[in-house]
Structures are given as C-alpha cells and as structure tokens.
C-alpha cells in the first residue's frame, strides 16, 4: 500500500506539472523549438561565451538562433526584456540559476543543450597551476564546491521555480515504472502466497498421521475452493435478500393509506 501510494503521488505530480505547463501555453522543450514558433522572441548577450558556442556549433540551426535573435546588452537588459513577456533569454545555466534566486516571475524552460567546464586561466608554466589543481580537487572531493553551488544557485531558494519548464511527456516510456512496480508487487505477493501455502501444507503432514504431502496439498486446495464457493453463495444470498427486502418495503409503502 505504501509503495502504491508513493508511485501514484510521483506520477500524479508529473501529470500535474505537464498539465500546468500546457495551461501556461509553454511548449518549449529544447532551444531549437524557438525556430519553429512565432509566439516568443529570443536573444543572447553579444560577445559572450553562449553566443560563441551557438555560432560555432556543428548544427547550423544553432547559429540561426544568434542570427535571428535579439542582441542584448547585458544581464540587466536581458532579464528586464524577459519580464516584459513573450521573450526567452539564452545563457549559461549557472548564470541563470544565480540570477533566478528569489525571483518568482522568471523560470527556466527546456533542456540544457550543451555542457562545458569552467576553468581558471593561468600563464603558461605558471608555478601556481599544481597548487590550484590540488586545492580544486580537494574541494571537489569534500563537497565544498557542491555546497557553494547550492548556496549561490536557485536550488536553495524558496521562491525560485528554476527548472519548472522541464515538461514530462506521458508516454509508455514515462509510465513504464508504474507497470514494472505493479508487476513486481504482484509477483512478490504470489511468491509469498506460495511459500505460505507450502509451509501450511508441510505443517499439516506433521500434525495429521499418514498424510502425504500431495494429499495435504490437495486438501488445502479443496479447503480454499470450498471457502470461495461458500463466500460466493453467501454474497448471492445477501443480494437476493436485499432485493426481496426492497421489494417488500416498496409494496408496503404502496399499500399504506395516505393520512
């Protein structure tokens, strides 16, 4: 029962999120979806890393995002344009996550389309390279970098809705977990029933003299069948009684004179 409740809650949440996004009219799952619609304008800040990544991408569709998009001056201009409505700002995930902290009016939509690593730039043959590498590795291993990310990103904000736009499509692949969970529960229940049934049968052979395992097994099956038959007969009897009782009450009401 607990597992069923948890799985139902999980998939209900996915369904609710999907329907909410549908009501909001947001149907952008990838950045390339912008090219196939005319409801939203989009843009990037000029002379920054995201613009360079888009322009130099192997897929020419990404360069179209720069050519057909709006050139923004800076982050303030970008977020102000987004707040006016019907505009999508394309930029790095960490930058968006940090600036969405505490902002309830803006949220991220769609999937990340390209990943890259941040790095510190040092002169060639710098004596500080080994020292910085060692400390960065140490900070990564003890979780300090993850702690900083949670502190300064939208993930630690009560108000932020970063990532709310990641729409979940309810297809067979999405719902496969429910069926796997259901089948697993049925299989486990059947195995437990067989174990309990065999255990009870073995117990009967020990308590009843000259009773073989096969005879005890048939005896148990007979008991179960008779029990089910008696319950079915009892249910039919109760149902017939209720029907006859209802008919009797109806006749009595009809025969009762009005005062």
């Amino acid at each position: 029962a607990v597992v069923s409740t948890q799985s139902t809650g999980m998939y209900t949440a996915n369904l609710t999120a999907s329907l909410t996004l549908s009501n909001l009219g947001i149907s952008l799952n990838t950045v390339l979806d912008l090219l196939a619609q005319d409801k939203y304008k989009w843009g990037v800040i000029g002379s920054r890393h995201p613009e360079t990544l888009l322009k130099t991408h192997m897929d020419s569709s990404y360069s179209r995002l720069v050519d057909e998009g709006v050139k923004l001056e800076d982050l303030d201009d970008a977020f102000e344009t987004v707040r006016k409505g019907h505009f999508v700002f394309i930029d790095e995930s960490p930058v968006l996550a940090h600036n969405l902290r505490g902002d309830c009016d803006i949220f991220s939509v769609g999937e990340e389309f390209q990943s890259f690593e941040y790095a510190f730039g040092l002169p060639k043959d710098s004596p500080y390279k080994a020292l910085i590498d060692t400390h960065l590795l140490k900070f990564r291993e003890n979780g300090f970098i993850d702690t900083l990310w949670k502190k300064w990103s939208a993930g630690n904000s009560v108000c932020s809705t970063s990532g709310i736009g990641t729409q979940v499509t309810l297809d067979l692949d999405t719902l496969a977990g429910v069926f796997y969970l259901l089948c697993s529960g049925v299989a486990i229940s059947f195995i437990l029933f067989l174990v309990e049934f065999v255990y009870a049968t073995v117990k009967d052979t020990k308590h009843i003299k000259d009773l073989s395992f096969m005879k005890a097994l048939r005896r148990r099956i007979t008991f179960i069948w008779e029990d089910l038959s008696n319950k079915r007969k009892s249910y039919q009897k109760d149902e017939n009684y209720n029907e006859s009782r209802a008919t009797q009450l109806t006749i009595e009401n009809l025969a009762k004179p009005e005062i």
Side-chain angles (χ1 to χ4, degrees):
V2 176
V3 176
S4 299
T5 303
Q6 289 178 346
S7 64
T8 302
M10 177 177 62
Y11 283 95
T12 302
N14 287 344
L15 178 61
T16 304
S18 179
L19 294 179
T20 302
L21 289 176
S22 177
N23 292 334
L24 290 173
I26 300 172
S27 57
L28 301 175
N29 294 320
T30 65
V31 69
L32 293 180
D33 289 343
L34 291 169
L35 298 174
Q37 56 81 46
D38 55 4
K39 186 176 181 179
Y40 297 94
K41 293 183 179 181
W42 65 89
V44 295
I45 299 176
S47 303
R48 290 182 73 242
H49 192 214
E51 183 188 46
T52 304
L53 286 176
L54 292 172
K55 279 186 174 181
T56 57
H57 201 282
M58 294 180 62
D59 188 346
S60 59
S61 298
Y62 288 92
S63 61
R64 285 180 55 195
L65 291 170
V66 178
D67 298 335
E68 301 176 18
V70 178
K71 296 294 177 64
L72 302 167
E73 296 181 3
D74 50 32
L75 287 174
D76 292 336
D77 179 32
F79 287 110
E80 186 63 31
T81 307
V82 171
R83 287 188 180 91
K84 292 178 182 178
H86 293 87
F87 190 85
V88 177
F89 171 45
I90 304 173
D91 207 89
E92 302 170 8
S93 298
V95 175
L96 295 175
H98 176 69
N99 285 274
L100 288 179
R101 296 178 74 249
D103 196 328
C104 298
D105 299 324
I106 303 175
F107 54 86
S108 61
V109 177
E111 304 172 353
E112 295 182 358
F113 59 91
Q114 192 163 350
S115 300
F116 57 89
E117 296 288 340
Y118 281 109
F120 291 99
L122 297 173
K124 189 176 181 180
D125 299 327
S126 173
Y128 303 107
K129 180 180 180 301
L131 181 64
I132 293 176
D133 287 343
T134 301
H135 280 78
L136 284 177
L137 182 61
K138 179 181 177 181
F139 291 152
R140 209 166 197 171
E141 289 176 348
N142 61 23
F144 178 70
I145 293 180
D146 292 334
T147 303
L148 285 180
W149 170 254
K150 291 178 182 178
K151 178 180 179 181
W152 295 106
S153 71
N156 199 31
S157 173
V158 175
C159 184
S160 173
T161 52
S162 177
I164 195 173
T166 305
Q167 189 169 3
V168 179
T169 305
L170 293 176
D171 51 15
L172 288 177
D173 293 333
T174 305
L175 297 175
V178 172
F179 296 107
Y180 292 150
L181 191 63
L182 179 61
C183 293
S184 300
V186 172
I188 293 172
S189 300
F190 183 71
I191 292 173
L192 291 176
F193 169 75
L194 288 179
V195 171
E196 183 180 1
F197 191 74
V198 171
Y199 174 76
T201 304
V202 173
K203 215 172 174 186
D204 289 342
T205 59
K206 294 180 179 179
H207 291 164
I208 302 175
K209 189 177 180 181
D210 298 331
L211 184 65
S212 64
F213 178 79
M214 293 304 298
K215 288 182 179 180
L217 187 63
R218 285 195 295 268
R219 181 171 174 270
R220 279 280 170 182
I221 294 175
T222 303
F223 285 161
I224 293 174
W225 179 257
E226 290 177 353
D227 186 49
L228 292 175
S229 300
N230 292 333
K231 285 183 178 179
R232 184 163 58 250
K233 291 178 182 178
S234 177
Y235 173 76
Q236 291 175 351
K237 186 184 294 184
D238 292 340
E239 193 175 34
N240 294 333
Y241 173 78
N242 291 333
E243 289 179 357
S244 63
R245 180 62 178 165
T247 305
Q248 183 180 356
L249 290 174
T250 303
I251 293 174
E252 289 178 356
N253 290 335
L254 291 174
K256 186 177 180 180
E258 295 183 359
I259 298 176

